[in-house]
Amino acid sequence: VKLGTTAAQKKLFFNLRRMKGEIKALDSGQLRPEQVSHIATKLNVPEKDVISMNGRMSGSDASLNAPMGAEGDMEWMDWLEDEDSNQAQEFADNQEFDARMTLLQEAMTDLSEREQHILQERRLTDEPKTLEQLSEVYNVSRERIRQIEVRAFEKLQKAMQKMAKDTGLPTGA
């Protein structure tokens, strides 16, 4: 339920009932034009906001658990849909992610320590190290680090595709 999001709407939300009581309009659903003008002037808000808020506040509340239809075998809540996520799809995605992470960890064991370190530092961290930084660690040129990285990535990719195929995961290739 959306009520009172602007300053004028908040002012109306908290004062409309009191104002209607002052002008003896509590029981009537719709306000007469002169009543709308009076309230709008007193609260310094647009008349259209008074009409809108009165309509929202004069509507009756209804339970989402109230039975629907003649048989009463369904409730209004049964018709609500969670638009945020599909639990089944989210579960399947998480399961596939976990399986792929396991494949990655297994495939990494096929690489040498140097290849693993370079690949982790260049592609598997939030802030990757530069070729220059890694070339200083291994006392080789930046080009050599780049070559090792490319070769290690190709080996890793090939190993993961083979394992994915063997386990029935989609390979994307």
Side-chain angles (χ1 to χ4, degrees), residues 9 19 21-22 47 50 58 62 69 86 90-92 98 101 115 133-134 137 142-143 148 151 153 165 173:
Q9 289 174 338
M19 296 292 296
E22 288 176 8
E47 289 185 10
V50 174
S58 63
N86 178 340
E90 196 172 311
F91 179 78
D98 291 343
M101 288 304 292
E115 289 171 329
Q133 290 170 319
L134 290 171
V137 171
R142 292 180 308 224
E143 177 60 20
I148 293 169
R151 189 184 70 208
F153 186 76
K165 185 178 176 187

Side-chain angles (χ1 to χ4, degrees), residues 2-173:
K2 180 185 173 205
L3 287 175
T5 55
T6 67
Q9 289 174 338
K10 288 177 185 171
K11 189 185 297 185
L12 276 168
F13 179 76
F14 290 110
N15 294 301
L16 184 61
R17 185 168 176 76
R18 179 181 52 82
M19 296 292 296
K20 284 175 73 174
E22 288 176 8
I23 60 173
K24 309 276 190 272
L26 276 176
D27 295 332
S28 63
Q30 295 298 320
L31 295 169
R32 293 189 313 269
E34 65 273 7
Q35 292 171 325
V36 170
S37 290
H38 175 74
I39 292 172
T41 304
K42 278 278 244 200
L43 295 177
N44 194 26
V45 296
E47 289 185 10
K48 66 178 179 62
D49 286 354
V50 174
I51 295 167
S52 173
M53 185 61 70
N54 185 54
R56 291 184 198 172
M57 292 179 71
S58 63
S60 62
D61 294 335
S63 172
L64 292 175
N65 296 108
M68 284 178 57
E71 294 89 42
D73 58 342
M74 291 187 70
E75 297 178 349
W76 286 105
M77 190 178 312
D78 296 334
W79 290 91
L80 292 178
E81 179 181 342
D82 182 6
E83 297 173 2
D84 289 340
S85 66
N86 178 340
Q87 275 188 326
Q89 184 62 47
E90 196 172 311
F91 179 78
D93 290 346
N94 287 339
Q95 209 171 21
E96 183 177 344
F97 177 79
D98 291 343
R100 289 189 184 280
M101 288 304 292
T102 301
L103 289 180
L104 176 64
Q105 290 170 350
E106 289 177 24
M108 287 289 280
T109 62
D110 290 350
L111 303 177
S112 70
E113 281 186 42
R114 181 167 75 167
E115 289 171 329
Q116 286 180 26
H117 181 252
I118 290 172
L119 205 55
Q120 285 174 337
E121 293 297 328
R122 291 282 296 156
R123 300 214 179 182
L124 301 176
T125 61
D126 289 335
E127 296 180 25
K129 289 194 175 172
T130 64
L131 293 172
E132 181 67 33
Q133 290 170 319
L134 290 171
S135 70
E136 291 171 5
V137 171
Y138 290 105
N139 282 332
V140 294
S141 68
R142 292 180 308 224
E143 177 60 20
R144 182 66 185 132
I145 295 294
R146 189 195 64 75
Q147 291 169 354
I148 293 169
E149 177 189 2
V150 168
R151 189 184 70 208
F153 186 76
E154 288 170 352
K155 285 169 63 175
L156 185 66
Q157 196 172 27
K158 194 178 290 186
M160 285 188 68
Q161 285 176 346
K162 182 184 180 316
M163 286 189 264
K165 185 178 176 187
D166 293 345
T167 59
L169 284 172
T171 60

